[in-house]
Amino acid sequence: MTNPVKLRGLTLTHPWPYAITHWEKDVENRLWHPTRWGGEVGMFLAIHGGVVPGPNSAKRRAARLELADALVRAGRDQRVNPVALQRLRQGLAIQDEAKYFMPGIVAVARLSGVTLSSTSRWAAAGQYHWTLADLVVLPESVQHTGGRGLWTLEEHALDTVRRVYRERVGSHEAARRILEAA
């Protein structure tokens, strides 16, 4: 039998779950090292989109500013209506913005490394750069309450994530290891 690998949830603010699942965001920036919450390189992360802020809230305006930044980092800003991009840069609503705000567990990725000096376009200065690999995007989000740090998935969510991971990855060694993990 192989050694099981940890699977823990990691809650992200919006629009970063969308950037991971749609725009190849390969680094998650954190002010803390994963070992602070019992994590380790090689573990799997259930990528979780946190609560979607209300449409007129300060947090939603902040998410729109982050979305404008993400569009530029992803090289997608040229594909967006210039008026819509300007509205985002002002924290204002745009049509169809809800698609960028994905609550629940939306993907699973392996934490392949942690550094302070990633060259990824997604790396933020002065933070730990958690390198994500072996991304498996879930066909639909698994509803779950998020948390601070690295958190344990509830049994129903863990079962669903394991089942979908098995379907997507098959008999690959990593799939077996995550399926055995508690």
Side-chain angles (χ1 to χ4, degrees):
M1 177 181 254
T2 58
N3 292 331
V5 176
K6 277 187 202 177
L7 169 66
R8 295 291 182 262
L10 181 66
T11 299
L12 284 65
T13 59
H14 300 284
W16 304 121
Y18 188 91
I20 288 172
T21 59
H22 290 80
W23 297 334
E24 300 175 353
K25 181 178 186 279
D26 59 349
V27 167
E28 172 56 16
N29 300 294
R30 294 284 153 162
L31 294 173
W32 45 276
H33 197 278
T35 54
R36 176 176 169 194
W37 291 88
E40 59 195 31
V41 170
M43 72 181 295
F44 285 85
L45 301 170
I47 305 299
H48 176 266
V51 173
V52 176
N56 299 316
S57 68
K59 287 185 178 184
R60 184 67 162 252
R61 287 189 293 281
R64 290 177 184 127
L65 296 172
E66 294 282 1
L67 177 55
D69 176 57
L71 285 163
V72 171
R73 286 179 190 241
R76 307 285 177 154
D77 54 320
Q78 300 301 317
R79 299 179 188 176
V80 175
N81 177 311
V83 173
L85 187 59
Q86 185 60 34
R87 287 185 61 82
L88 287 174
R89 287 181 170 144
Q90 295 170 350
L92 301 174
I94 62 168
Q95 185 177 10
D96 297 331
E97 74 179 14
K99 74 179 183 180
Y100 300 110
F101 304 122
M102 305 169 63
I105 299 169
V106 296
V108 174
R110 183 174 54 84
L111 178 61
S112 65
V114 179
T115 182
L116 292 168
S117 58
S118 173
T119 57
S120 170
R121 66 182 176 210
W122 299 101
Q127 296 191 29
Y128 289 100
H129 308 139
W130 296 23
T131 306
L132 306 176
D134 305 328
L135 180 71
V136 174
V137 177
L138 305 182
E140 51 189 56
S141 68
V142 176
Q143 294 310 302
H144 199 292
T145 302
R148 290 181 44 130
L150 296 170
W151 42 269
T152 302
L153 278 67
E154 295 172 6
E155 197 63 36
H156 76 281
L158 182 59
D159 290 345
T160 301
V161 168
R162 283 178 172 164
R163 179 182 49 77
V164 172
Y165 194 90
R166 182 185 302 117
E167 291 168 359
R168 296 280 170 140
V169 178
S171 62
H172 184 274
E173 176 66 18
R176 285 195 301 274
R177 292 173 66 203
I178 195 172
L179 296 173
E180 296 168 358

